């Protein structure tokens, strides 16, 4: 009987192992953590955003900024509707929320993890708690997997499904990159993705804890628009976070390529003229008020002193004395609050890792290495990453499914 070894018991590894075992392969998962899929357990703030209900292939590909074409075959083989059906069949009822995010009805990530583990066990997958140290090679194939405890496992095929380097406490410490390099593979530059961003503006700390909804966000580098979106964001003690910021971060490939700025449109539903009229109306209703006290209907309380300071308008100036030019500058500021982004926040805070095993060295229709005949890859260890919203777990499930079906 063929013996397939899966290194890593996360989302992609559990999917790959179950598919391999269902084909009749003797299949073993080697997982270094005491419990499988630790990262899935904490995803979606413990609720697990397991996929996104985007059912058109081209649209789905559009949510992957890094090497999207590589995923055509994987997505075609296992789409988000397949993921939903897969979990429903395992007894995990799902629901669709804002942004087409799919969650278990129970709001418990543990239900998703238990379903994945039980599905693998039911298919006959065996589990070994241990850490893979290296491979033994026989020409261009792996003949055995060596563990840190000294044990040696012969194999007919191997899949590296170790995840990336984000959230190291869950076991994602970059082991897969070391093993891939041992096998002769190229690993592209590793950096955080879907990560909060550090900003240098001196007013940032004054806005710590402020959450904004329904704002427009544009990311520029060297004046070139890299990304724009609409949604929620959060100010932190070091910079900014929240869904639109995390997605924006995945478009910054290198801070050495030039300065990055984020422009926040605090009132995207109003164009310049409409916002100007709105402010003029507010001012006329409160004509004897000081400027600092006139913006409570327009902006969150925490933001007002910052906007007043940045506007250059004297806080005690009566609103009926504010000039047309000053008012237009205020409108421009509200439509374009600029933040200077200096770096990613710590990779430990990143949801996923950008970079990984070079996709040019992987066969996209099988997830098979083009260098080692019986080596396969799935999940975050590959150099692909997507926006927040369930897309990265979908990549794990799709590549894991394709990988498992081709193991031997």
């Amino acid at each position: 009987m063929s013996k397939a070894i899966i290194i890593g018991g996360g989302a992609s590894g559990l999917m790959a192992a179950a598919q391999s075992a269902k084909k009749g392969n003797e299949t073993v998962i080697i997982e270094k953590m005491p419990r499988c899929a630790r990262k899935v357990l904490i995803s979606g703030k413990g609720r697990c955003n397991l996929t996104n209900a985007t059912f058109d292939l081209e649209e789905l590909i559009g949510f992957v900024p890094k090497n999207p074409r590589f995923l055509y075959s994987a997505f075609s083989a296992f789409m988000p509707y397949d993921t939903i059906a897969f979990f429903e069949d395992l007894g995990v009822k799902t629901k669709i929320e804002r942004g087409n995010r799919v969650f278990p009805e129970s709001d418990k990530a543990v239900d998703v993890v238990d379903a994945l583990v039980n599905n693998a066990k039911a298919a006959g997958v065996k589990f070994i708690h241990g850490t893979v140290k290296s491979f033994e090679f026989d020409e261009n194939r792996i003949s055995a997997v060596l563990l840190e405890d000294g044990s040696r496992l012969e194999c007919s095929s191997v899949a590296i499904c170790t995840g990336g380097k984000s959230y190291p406490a869950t076991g994602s410490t970059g082991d897969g990159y070391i093993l891939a390099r041992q096998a002769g593979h190229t690993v592209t530059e590793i950096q955080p993705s879907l990560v909060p961003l550090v900003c240098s503006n001196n007013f940032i700390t004054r806005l710590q804890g402020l959450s904004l909804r329904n704002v427009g966000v544009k990311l520029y580098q060297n004046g070139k628009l890299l990304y724009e979106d609409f949604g929620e964001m959060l100010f932190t003690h070091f910079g900014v976070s929240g869904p639109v910021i995390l997605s924006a971060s995945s478009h910054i490939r290198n801070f050495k390529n030039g300065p990055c700025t984020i422009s926040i449109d605090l009132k995207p539903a109003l164009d310049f003229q409409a916002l100007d009229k709105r402010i003029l109306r507010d001012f006329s209703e409160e004509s004897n008020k000081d400027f600092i006290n006139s913006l409570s209907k327009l902006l969150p309380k925490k933001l007002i002193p910052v906007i007043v300071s940045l506007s250059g308008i004297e806080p005690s100036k009566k609103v009926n004395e504010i000039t047309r030019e000053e008012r237009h500058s205020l409108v421009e500021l509200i439509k374009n609050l600029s933040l200077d982004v200096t770096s990613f926040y710590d990779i430990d805070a990143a949801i996923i890792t950008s970079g990984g095993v070079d996709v040019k060295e992987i066969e996209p229709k099988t997830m098979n290495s083009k260098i080692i005949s019986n080596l396969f890859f799935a999940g975050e260890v590959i150099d692909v990453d997507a926006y927040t919203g369930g897309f990265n777990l979908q990549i794990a499930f799709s590549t894991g499914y394709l990988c498992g079906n081709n193991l031997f």
Side-chain angles (χ1 to χ4, degrees), residues 195-266:
V195 66
L197 296 171
V198 178
C199 299
S200 61
N201 309 74
N202 58 14
F203 58 79
I204 286 292
T205 53
R206 297 166 66 188
L207 298 176
Q208 180 180 347
L210 174 63
S211 179
L212 299 176
R213 301 182 69 179
N214 305 321
V215 294
V217 169
K218 292 181 179 179
L219 170 68
Y220 296 91
Q221 188 165 32
N222 272 339
K224 178 184 176 184
L225 180 64
L226 298 184
Y227 175 79
E228 61 179 311
D229 200 1
F230 169 88
E232 297 179 29
M233 63 169 289
L234 170 73
F235 285 94
T236 68
H237 66 285
F238 56 81
V240 284
S241 187
V244 292
I245 300 298
L246 297 181
S247 289
S249 74
S250 66
H251 288 265
I252 303 173
R253 293 299 164 208
N254 196 327
F255 280 94
K256 295 174 185 175
N257 293 338
C260 290
T261 59
I262 286 176
S263 170
I264 303 170
D265 184 347
L266 297 166

Side-chain angles (χ1 to χ4, degrees), residues 20 37 49 88 108 187 214 228 266 278 282 342 368 374 401:
S20 171
N49 178 192
E88 295 269 353
K108 293 179 181 176
V187 176
N214 305 321
E228 61 179 311
L266 297 166
R278 160 74 192 273
D282 288 352
T342 56
N368 193 182
N374 64 338
Y401 180 86

